[in-house]
Amino acid sequence: MGFRYSFLLLLTIITLPVFAWQKDALYSFPIGDDVSVTIDLPRIDQHLPTTLIIYALPNGNTTAQTMGKKLLPGDDWHFDIQHIKAQTAFVRNALQKQNIVVAYLENKYKSWPQFKKVHPDYTSRIPFIVDTIFSIIPSSKKSLHLNGHSGGGSFIFGYLQSVNTIPAFIKRISFLDSDYGYDSSYLPKLAEWLHRKDASLNVFAYNDSVALLDGKPFVSATGGTWYRSKLMMKDLSGEFPFIKLQDDSLIIYKSKNRRIHFFFKTNPERKIYHTVQVERNGFIHSVLCGTKEDSKGYFYFGKRAYDNLVE
């Protein structure tokens, strides 16, 4: 595959199962020459099921910025726009009968689309990354969620390209304003996977086709997530009928089997909501929507529900 385990990765594979049950911790290690993984691992209770969420970073952000923190004078504003670590803490409080593990995926180009351009063999590299992380999580009862914002969606599509069928251990796929690369070629794999009773797909988008940057449109009519998400929903509706649940500033569609959700943020003021969708409880909702904890103690696109958990 063109990959070699680094010494640190081998050491992680050996030691992680031994020590992970003892305390909450962050583990970081490289895979290859240009990918770094940081695992936010809680104290693992072996009596509970474990959900691993692989979060592919957005373009331009570091792992530390994606995790977030309380801003101090002089801090980069990127530390205050996602807060995935604090949102993870909220999810853990909501899902106390599960071990919730988050693996942040970063590459040195700060762009998963660029990573794929640099590596024509990405359909070998990406599943290797996913399988490696999944294999080292120390739990006998585990499942996987694929999640990503912005260019992180390119990583998810790269994984979908690399497999003949989406594995049964993947229970949830969430695109947080990140499905720019969708086309109808992905429909057969997604539809086959979604016929499983425990598979869930969640897609978040805003009307970027009318958004303005410096007074000018920056997304083509068919190139943004607004168009691509509507195309995905149209493709899926042939097998999974949808019900419109809400139709105001936030338009929500849910499949009749309640396992597919589309969240469309309207944009009459032509603003940029690309990261706001994540910041305003988007990651929380991507994990909890459709579950018994859906919208309990938080609302998608509402006030930050995790501010007291920001470190």
Side-chain angles (χ1 to χ4, degrees), residues 53 86-96 100 283-285 287-288 309:
I53 304 169
Q87 294 196 57
T88 297
F90 185 99
V91 169
R92 285 176 176 154
N93 289 336
L95 301 177
Q96 296 187 17
I100 302 297
F283 179 76
I284 293 171
H285 203 47
V287 180
L288 299 183
L309 300 170

Side-chain angles (χ1 to χ4, degrees), residues 9-307:
L9 179 54
L10 281 172
L11 187 63
T12 302
I13 291 171
I14 294 169
T15 59
L16 189 59
V18 176
F19 295 108
W21 59 271
Q22 296 180 349
K23 61 181 180 179
D24 297 357
L26 292 174
Y27 296 84
S28 295
F29 54 90
I31 296 182
D33 297 326
D34 53 6
V35 174
S36 61
V37 181
T38 299
I39 300 180
D40 182 355
L41 191 74
R43 182 181 182 277
I44 296 293
D45 184 337
Q46 293 294 345
H47 297 96
L48 299 178
T50 296
T51 297
L52 167 64
I53 304 169
I54 289 183
Y55 189 79
L57 264 60
N59 294 344
N61 284 31
T62 66
T63 297
Q65 291 167 344
T66 301
M67 287 181 173
K69 71 183 188 73
K70 290 184 178 179
L71 284 186
L72 298 175
D75 281 343
D76 190 303
W77 58 273
H78 287 89
F79 286 99
D80 194 41
I81 61 173
Q82 291 192 82
H83 289 292
I84 301 303
K85 196 169 191 299
Q87 294 196 57
T88 297
F90 185 99
V91 169
R92 285 176 176 154
N93 289 336
L95 301 177
Q96 296 187 17
K97 294 184 178 180
Q98 296 182 40
N99 301 304
I100 302 297
V101 181
V102 175
Y104 298 82
L105 298 190
E106 181 180 349
N107 64 73
K108 73 176 185 181
Y109 318 104
K110 294 186 179 180
S111 166
W112 287 107
Q114 182 61 26
F115 173 88
K116 289 161 71 173
K117 289 181 180 179
V118 171
H119 298 293
D121 62 339
Y122 67 84
T123 55
S124 296
R125 291 173 178 260
I126 288 177
F128 178 85
I129 294 168
V130 171
D131 293 344
T132 298
I133 299 170
F134 189 67
S135 68
I136 65 176
I137 300 303
S139 176
S140 58
K141 298 178 290 184
K142 56 187 175 182
S143 60
L144 176 64
H145 292 186
L146 294 177
N147 201 317
H149 171 51
S150 181
S154 181
F155 179 91
I156 297 175
F157 285 125
Y159 181 81
L160 297 183
Q161 284 180 280
S162 72
V163 295
N164 293 324
T165 59
I166 302 174
F169 61 78
I170 296 178
K171 307 300 183 184
R172 182 171 286 237
I173 297 175
S174 296
F175 291 99
L176 285 166
D177 208 43
S178 61
D179 61 344
Y180 298 95
Y182 177 77
D183 61 53
S184 298
S185 68
Y186 293 99
L187 176 62
K189 290 179 185 178
L190 285 171
E192 179 185 25
W193 172 69
L194 285 166
H195 279 294
R196 297 182 58 87
K197 293 182 179 180
D198 56 357
S200 176
L201 174 68
N202 308 290
V203 180
F204 299 75
Y206 82 104
N207 193 349
D208 51 6
S209 68
V210 300
L212 300 178
L213 178 64
D214 297 329
K216 299 178 181 179
F218 59 94
V219 174
S220 71
T222 61
T225 61
W226 181 258
Y227 176 84
R228 295 293 163 178
S229 299
K230 286 181 175 291
L231 175 61
M232 187 189 301
M233 190 176 74
K234 179 182 177 182
D235 286 347
L236 289 169
S237 64
E239 295 188 48
F240 306 94
F242 286 90
I243 302 169
K244 183 184 286 187
L245 299 180
Q246 187 174 329
D247 189 359
D248 46 37
S249 64
L250 190 63
I251 305 171
I252 303 174
Y253 290 89
K254 179 190 293 187
S255 63
K256 287 186 176 180
N257 62 13
R258 300 184 179 184
R259 291 187 289 101
I260 310 172
H261 299 82
F262 282 84
F263 302 92
F264 295 104
K265 178 70 177 74
T266 61
N267 193 10
E269 296 180 352
R270 309 186 77 174
K271 293 183 177 181
I272 299 174
Y273 292 117
H274 181 55
T275 304
V276 178
Q277 295 171 95
V278 181
E279 175 193 358
R280 294 176 67 173
N281 309 321
F283 179 76
I284 293 171
H285 203 47
S286 73
V287 180
L288 299 183
C289 66
T291 74
K292 293 181 179 179
E293 301 302 321
D294 189 325
S295 301
K296 289 186 179 180
Y298 78 95
F299 291 102
Y300 171 57
F301 227 86
K303 182 181 178 181
R304 289 182 180 183
Y306 54 84
D307 270 345

